[in-house]
Amino acid sequence: MVQTRPELVGNIGMVASTHWLATATGMSVLERGGNAADAAVATGFVLQVVEPHLNGPGGDVPILVHGGDDDGVSVVCGQGVAPGAISTDAMAALGLDLMPGTGLLPVVVPGAFGAWMELLRQWGTWSVADVLEPAIHYAEHGHPVLPGVSQAIATVKDMFEEHWPTSAQTWLPGGAVAAAGSIFGRPELAATYRRIVDEATTAGTTREAQIQGALDAWYRGFVAEAIDAYCSTAEVMDTSGQPHGGFLRADDLAGWQAAVEEPVTYDYGQYTVCKTGPWGQGPVFLQQLALLKGCDLDSMRPGSAEWVHTIVEASKLAFADREAWYGDPKYTDVPLADLLSDEYNDARRALMGETAALELVPGRPGGRTPIMPRYPDAPEGFVAGAGEPTVAATGETRGDTCHIDVADKNGMMISATPSGGWFQASPTIPGLGFCLSTRGQMFWAEDGLPNSLRPGARPRTTLSPSFALRDGKPWLAFGTPGGDFQDQWPLHFFLNVVHGRMNLQEALDYPDFHSIHMPNSFYPRDTHPGHLLMEDRYDAAVVDELRRRGHLLELQGGWSIGRTSAVAREDGWLRGAANARGAQAYAAGR
């Protein structure tokens, strides 16, 4: 197979992200003496400006970081929590049994800023002013509008003008949709970040004091005050078809901080894969490995019907357990040790037959009885469905996401997946120039479930960066945008490298697929039992065989599935690769 791009190789630094300007920013930080943490933070803030339909300042980010030398892998949790005043009873009082996908009701504490600052504080070397300067530059002087940004604004233009006037002021200057390729600035956001820098600088002379000053300005100062003032007074239209106010208040922001946690890990031969805890869907990647460990993938050809079928059937079982068991472990008992145990997955593997499963079958880890949500419009006897992020004319959004991978010459490696705070998800906060994350739509507005709506709980996010060690040494940082597909596409990439013996770029360029059998994590929780989407570059014989096995197969464009990127450290070299799909992701290194 011809590669779209070379696998990059160097020994100074390596950056991959979902936008070329962000990648160039990260590499410039490494060139100027910053480390991987400095580069990742600067890259993350630039992505908020240049990919505003995919993430924003008010969004979320989980980060995996290996500090180099004898340091281990840590998880920085930038997933904000539900407001203290919201509950299933509060939702019922509004006549709602499903959290809307847009507006102010589903907003959570904006966690991305706190997580980037925590990464900077514990692992970085640069100042707040240094890491924010590139983002401020693009917000003040403008950046080229992506076609996807222009299309997204056009899609929600009428809604902005009719229902969200603060968003219309930000995204429709002069009442017009910015054309693809035109220069677009964010002066209000630039002013917000300039004020953050000013307050950080006046907080003290040390880097640590300035980082704390920035955090105070955001979570206890003018940012929190503006969010409180808007959420406590505004009522805005959302996907329920009715206007609602928000529950988020300044006290919610003041009481939150980014946590640093141990990763959840699984050993797969010589590899140890690290993921977030079950407040994210990350462990589902690990359970798929536990199921596939007994399937002899080495004997299968990547891209063959047997390869695709085996991986898809494992994903159905692992994602069924996600639905039944995952949630914020501070509020629910997630039987993670059982879910990842060989004994449990040996039994689950026996359910993987020669034909496609058409039911969602959660297991009974430790003998527990699964309790599943009531999925809207699910076929009788089945619960299923997942969705590629989209924007509808109503403003319905399933979001999308960005991704960053960075490695520096001193051994530090980072994988981060920023998302949320999309401009099409909730109205722009007056005076700040950005909106809030609607990640709360991923809660269930019914009690008794692991992912039930609870005050102060983290919604079970789909955001899922990945990190792998090889023979105990840091090896691979990788991940993707893509909602529920964030633990399918990177898994396929990982298996292409490990079993297919492909280099990073070849593994990314290889034809991809995903199942949409599992329930959609996003509003409106649509269901698609047994459906499998594949790029049309697969051999006709493979397609025919998968259909014969019962997969409800839909062919997509040849370069339409997957957006994974990666950086690696091996044999004394740094390697990097980015996805050609979407025509905007790039890796850079030397």
Side-chain angles (χ1 to χ4, degrees):
M1 188 186 77
V2 177
Q3 291 177 203
T4 60
R5 308 168 180 183
E7 179 191 60
L8 304 184
V9 182
N11 57 15
I12 299 298
M14 198 66 62
V15 182
S17 86
T18 46
H19 194 288
W20 68 89
L21 289 177
T23 294
T25 295
M27 193 62 208
S28 76
V29 173
L30 297 179
E31 295 277 10
R32 290 180 286 154
N35 67 16
D38 303 321
V41 176
T43 301
F45 282 118
V46 167
L47 284 174
Q48 294 172 1
V49 179
V50 299
E51 292 192 312
H53 60 320
L54 308 181
N55 79 138
D60 333 283
V61 60
I63 306 167
L64 300 182
V65 53
H66 190 290
D69 296 326
D70 296 327
D71 195 14
V73 177
S74 296
V75 177
V76 182
C77 176
Q79 177 52 64
V81 300
I86 201 169
S87 65
T88 55
D89 288 342
M91 293 292 293
L94 296 172
L96 299 174
D97 59 5
L98 188 67
M99 182 69 79
T102 64
L104 294 177
L105 274 180
V107 301
V108 296
V109 171
F113 188 85
W116 289 128
M117 288 296 106
E118 192 62 31
L119 180 67
L120 186 67
R121 173 159 51 192
Q122 292 203 32
W123 287 274
T125 63
W126 279 24
S127 69
V128 174
D130 289 336
V131 296
L132 278 172
E133 186 277 330
I136 293 172
H137 168 83
Y138 287 118
E140 284 187 335
H141 298 286
H143 58 90
V145 174
L146 292 170
V149 172
S150 181
Q151 292 163 10
I153 295 173
T155 302
V156 293
K157 177 178 184 289
D158 291 346
M159 189 195 66
F160 281 4
E161 291 176 331
E162 184 176 355
H163 298 295
W164 294 2
T166 59
S167 294
Q169 292 167 11
T170 300
W171 298 103
L172 298 168
V177 174
S182 63
I183 302 302
F184 191 89
R186 305 270 299 280
E188 195 169 43
L189 176 60
T192 294
Y193 275 143
R194 283 215 175 275
R195 184 170 174 184
I196 290 285
V197 169
D198 290 343
E199 297 201 15
T201 302
T202 59
T205 57
T206 67
R207 199 177 69 91
E208 291 72 17
Q210 291 177 6
I211 291 171
Q212 187 58 52
L215 289 166
D216 287 341
W218 190 277
Y219 291 100
R220 287 162 286 279
F222 78 96
V223 173
E225 291 166 1
I227 290 171
D228 187 306
Y230 188 67
C231 288
S232 61
T233 57
E235 289 195 350
V236 302
M237 184 65 67
D238 57 42
T239 48
S240 72
Q242 299 293 326
H244 295 103
F247 287 88
L248 189 64
R249 298 292 183 269
D251 287 348
D252 296 311
L253 277 76
W256 184 88
Q257 66 179 27
V260 178
E261 305 174 351
E262 293 293 317
V264 179
T265 65
Y266 185 78
D267 292 333
Y268 186 75
Q270 69 184 115
Y271 306 95
T272 300
V273 181
C274 307
K275 301 292 287 188
T276 71
W279 50 264
Q281 72 174 19
V284 82
F285 187 113
L286 308 181
Q287 190 178 351
Q288 289 175 93
L289 291 180
L291 289 161
L292 293 169
K293 186 167 68 173
C295 293
D296 192 17
L297 290 182
D298 279 329
S299 69
M300 304 177 196
R301 179 179 59 83
S304 66
E306 186 68 20
W307 172 275
V308 174
H309 173 80
T310 300
I311 294 170
V312 167
E313 294 309 296
S315 75
K316 291 175 182 178
L317 294 173
F319 275 90
D321 281 339
R322 179 195 72 170
E323 290 302 296
W325 302 110
Y326 287 22
D328 188 339
K330 292 182 179 179
Y331 293 85
T332 187
D333 180 17
V334 183
L336 205 53
D338 288 323
L339 287 169
L340 298 180
S341 70
D342 288 342
E343 180 182 11
Y344 177 75
N345 286 291
D346 288 346
R348 295 284 278 161
R349 193 180 305 113
L351 300 176
M352 295 167 56
E354 290 299 311
T355 59
L358 299 177
E359 295 181 355
L360 196 73
V361 184
R364 300 172 61 88
R368 299 168 177 85
T369 300
I371 302 175
M372 301 291 278
R374 298 187 302 272
Y375 296 97
D377 303 321
E380 184 176 353
F382 185 85
V383 183
E388 171 72 344
T390 58
V391 182
T394 60
E396 174 195 332
T397 176
R398 300 173 189 174
D400 206 341
T401 303
C402 308
H403 187 74
I404 302 164
D405 302 302
V406 186
D408 66 28
K409 63 183 178 182
N410 297 317
M412 186 180 296
M413 296 179 70
I414 291 169
S415 175
T417 309
S419 186
W422 320 292
F423 65 72
Q424 66 272 23
S426 66
T428 299
I429 305 297
L432 297 181
F434 64 83
C435 63
L436 297 171
S437 170
T438 53
R439 192 69 54 179
Q441 68 183 284
M442 306 176 96
F443 284 119
W444 287 100
E446 58 180 286
D447 292 328
L449 301 170
N451 193 34
S452 292
L453 176 62
R454 299 176 178 91
R458 291 170 285 189
R460 189 206 70 208
T461 180
T462 54
L463 303 180
S464 192
S466 302
F467 196 96
L469 297 91
R470 186 169 64 184
D471 298 325
K473 299 180 185 291
W475 168 55
L476 184 67
F478 61 113
T480 185
D484 291 290
F485 309 138
Q486 288 181 45
D487 285 298
Q488 294 192 64
W489 301 335
L491 174 71
H492 307 162
F493 160 77
F494 176 82
L495 297 173
N496 285 344
V497 173
V498 170
H499 294 285
R501 308 297 190 268
M502 302 179 195
N503 69 43
L504 300 186
Q505 192 63 52
E506 185 181 9
L508 293 182
D509 288 343
Y510 206 76
D512 213 342
F513 59 93
H514 58 244
S515 170
I516 57 172
H517 173 90
M518 56 285 299
N520 193 334
S521 294
F522 294 89
Y523 180 93
R525 309 280 187 166
D526 49 301
T527 61
H528 302 280
H531 283 246
L532 173 64
L533 277 58
M534 299 179 66
E535 292 180 328
D536 62 14
R537 291 184 286 147
Y538 282 88
D539 291 342
V542 172
V543 172
D544 291 344
E545 173 60 16
L546 289 167
R547 284 178 170 150
R548 188 192 68 78
R549 291 182 180 223
H551 295 278
L552 302 177
L553 196 149
E554 303 171 29
L555 292 178
Q556 307 291 296
W559 294 90
S560 61
I561 293 178
R563 288 179 62 195
T564 305
S565 65
V567 300
R569 182 185 306 280
E570 55 184 27
D571 304 324
W573 294 99
L574 301 175
R575 301 178 184 273
N579 215 300
R581 299 168 180 88
Q584 67 190 58
Y586 268 88
R590 72 174 184 92

